[in-house]
Amino acid sequence: MHPSSSKGFSGCYRGVRRRANGKWVSEIREPKKPNRIWLGTFPTPEMAAVAYDVAALALKGKNAELNFPDSASSLPVPASLSAHDIQVAAAAAAAAAGAAKDAMRTQAEDNNVSAAQEKQTAVMSSNQFVDEDLIFDMPNVLINMAEGMLLSPPPFDIGGEPNTPENMEQETSLWNFP
């Protein structure tokens, strides 16, 4: 996806220029008219270029010179050829391009973090002995299980009577159940 450059513009994309404040603006001239359609101000030149591509396709059709010709089929189509509808579709495409760029950046950062963690884990495992028995308290597992088995079961409350010393004298047996 190489942008088509256009002489006379300070940006490297067609229909895009950079403002003094560092923001990128996009506009397009309507065919056979002196009017221009303002497409918006964007934080990145790619977002402005995608907005231009949407407008160029709507106004000039398949023969339009695009910044990203390979992505033409995935761009939104305006509801009509009115300036407002073109602006809405261009803004939607620019927002999607910005979200995709953010997602790519976040994914790259996540990949860098996970690669660093893997490297750290590899270094730790190659340089140090990790005693898993101590980590999981393995020497005491059998002792803890044995202690758990030696616990007496909770007392049964057969008749709903509270466990008072008088009731405790009557030992209930499982064989006495009806």
Side-chain angles (χ1 to χ4, degrees), residues 14-15 26-29 31 37 39 49-67 75-76 78 81 86 90:
R14 180 176 296 281
S26 182
E27 62 185 356
I28 189 168
R29 185 180 301 276
I37 297 175
L39 300 173
V50 168
Y52 175 87
D53 284 359
V54 169
L57 278 173
L59 295 172
K60 299 174 183 175
K62 293 180 182 178
N63 296 327
E65 292 185 45
L66 302 177
N67 294 304
L75 295 175
L81 292 180
I86 291 173

Side-chain angles (χ1 to χ4, degrees), residues 26 38-43 47-48 50-55 76 78 83-99:
S26 182
W38 179 256
L39 300 173
T41 303
F42 305 96
M47 291 173 70
V50 168
Y52 175 87
D53 284 359
V54 169
H84 180 280
D85 287 343
I86 291 173
Q87 289 168 336
V88 168

